[in-house]
């Protein structure tokens, strides 16, 4: 299988076509954006961390029976994945209040929740990825009832396995975002799982080990990404 033309360049990744149309190649960049592209910067080495951590997590989840788009890591920054058509929803799971939820409900970050929260945002940069509910998703035709149910079930299972795994390496999984795609009509987990898309706090000190350090100009961004690599045993 050979790498072909650039299909798409996003904020953090480039996607290339492959000679076999069922696959494509993702290349992770060091570019970082926040607040819907308003804040821009570079996090040195981020592409390598996000590539390797995503692949590590996809393999861990595959062992638990969760189907993902991961196929093969071909270099530090490049991975072959199944070519899916992305369901235009960002699926957010929250275990503790942080970020936009803490702000919206006036909760202190780190406040316990009685159960995990699942939220959907409509993936649309022009609109700023607005939050949507099931009824809106169905009415507009973003996804079907069956698709929403499948995605929700997989997302809760992913949460269970990720919470368990990160706790074993001394990290609390506060919240994260998933994306799903359709591969020959089957919904599978796609995109990435990385410090760009998860909130990771040290279990004991509550030190932030994720992109919030970039969003909030806290410093120690590269160090936090490297620390997460060490925790999961990849560095
Ligand atoms: N998230 C993401 N991409 C987005 C929005 C959110 O990966 O476009 C992740 C984010 O890293 C966090 C979780 O989803 O782990 C919840 O984010 P939140 O809604 O609190 O938004 P934020 O405060 O990041 O704007």
């Amino acid at each position: 299988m050979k790498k072909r033309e650039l299909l798409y360049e996003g904020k953090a990744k480039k996607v290339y076509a492959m000679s076999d149309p069922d696959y494509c190649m993702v290349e992770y960049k060091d570019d970082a954006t926040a607040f819907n592209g308003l804040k821009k910067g570079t996090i040195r080495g981020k592409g390598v961390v996000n590539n390797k951590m995503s692949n590590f997590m996809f393999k861990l989840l595959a062992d638990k029976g969760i189907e993902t788009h991961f196929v093969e890591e071909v270099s530090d920054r490049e991975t072959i994945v199944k070519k899916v058509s992305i369901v235009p929803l960002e699926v957010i799971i929250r275990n503790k209040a942080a970020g936009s939820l803490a702000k919206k409900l006036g909760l202190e970050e780190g406040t316990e929740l009685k159960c995990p929260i699942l939220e959907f945002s409509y993936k649309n940069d022009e609109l700023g990825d607005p939050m949507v509910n099931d009824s809106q998703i169905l009415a507009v035709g973003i996804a079907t009832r069956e698709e929403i149910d499948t995605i929700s079930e997989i997302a809760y299972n992913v949460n269970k396995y990720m919470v368990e795994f990160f706790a074993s390496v001394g990290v609390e999984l506060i919240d994260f975002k998933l994306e799903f795609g359709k591969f020959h009509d089957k919904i599978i987990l796609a995109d990435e799982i990385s410090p760009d898309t998860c909130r990771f706090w040290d279990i004991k000190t509550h030190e932030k080990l994720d992109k919030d350090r970039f969003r909030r100009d806290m410093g120690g961004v590269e160090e936090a990404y490297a620390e997460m690599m060490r925790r999961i045993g990849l560095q």
Side-chain angles (χ1 to χ4, degrees), residues 59-167:
K59 284 186 238 175
L60 183 143
L61 292 169
D63 287 343
K64 306 282 187 187
I66 289 171
E67 207 177 320
T68 82
H69 73 158
F70 173 75
V71 177
E72 191 189 353
E73 185 171 300
V74 292
S75 77
D76 276 1
R77 289 174 185 271
E78 295 170 308
T79 292
I80 298 173
V81 297
K82 289 177 181 162
K83 187 168 190 216
V84 298
S85 85
I86 289 283
V87 178
L89 288 172
E90 297 201 335
V91 183
I92 293 168
I93 295 263
R94 303 177 185 275
N95 295 304
K96 281 197 172 170
S100 65
L101 180 84
K103 198 170 167 195
K104 180 163 76 175
L105 299 184
L107 300 170
E108 197 180 320
E109 285 211 306
T111 301
E112 299 262 0
L113 301 172
K114 294 192 189 307
C115 56
I117 293 174
L118 181 146
E119 286 172 13
F120 295 112
S121 294
Y122 175 43
K123 252 177 84 73
N124 184 312
D125 282 341
E126 262 170 51
L127 301 175
D129 299 339
M131 190 169 160
V132 284
N133 65 22
D134 290 26
S135 164
Q136 291 169 327
I137 294 169
L138 292 173
V140 177
I142 298 169
T144 65
R145 179 77 263 163
E146 204 188 356
E147 288 166 348
I148 296 174
D149 290 345
T150 303
I151 287 172
S152 305
E153 192 190 335
I154 302 172
Y156 279 123
N157 280 327
V158 167
N159 185 46
K160 191 173 65 187
Y161 298 130
M162 282 180 47
V163 164
E164 191 179 87
F165 168 72
F166 284 109

Side-chain angles (χ1 to χ4, degrees), residues 183-198:
F183 185 69
H184 297 295
D185 288 335
K186 185 164 192 210
I187 297 230
I188 62 174
L189 185 59
D191 195 45
E192 66 177 282
I193 299 177
S194 72
D196 273 14
T197 63
C198 303

Side-chain angles (χ1 to χ4, degrees), residues 153-213:
E153 192 190 335
I154 302 172
Y156 279 123
N157 280 327
V158 167
N159 185 46
K160 191 173 65 187
Y161 298 130
M162 282 180 47
V163 164
E164 191 179 87
F165 168 72
F166 284 109
S168 77
V169 297
V171 171
E172 188 170 13
L173 179 63
I174 301 295
D175 59 28
F176 60 97
K177 184 261 303 178
L178 299 174
E179 293 185 25
F180 292 83
K182 281 189 238 173
F183 185 69
H184 297 295
D185 288 335
K186 185 164 192 210
I187 297 230
I188 62 174
L189 185 59
D191 195 45
E192 66 177 282
I193 299 177
S194 72
D196 273 14
T197 63
C198 303
R199 285 195 169 95
F200 296 127
W201 291 8
D202 181 89
I203 279 189
K204 289 211 183 92
T205 66
H206 299 163
E207 186 191 355
K208 295 186 198 307
L209 298 169
D210 57 58
K211 194 175 164 188
D212 271 349
R213 301 198 77 88

Side-chain angles (χ1 to χ4, degrees), residues 17-20 56 88 119 140 178 181 203 206 214 221 224:
M18 299 291 291
S19 48
D20 182 332
F56 177 90
E119 286 172 13
V140 177
L178 299 174
I203 279 189
H206 299 163
F214 169 79
V221 185

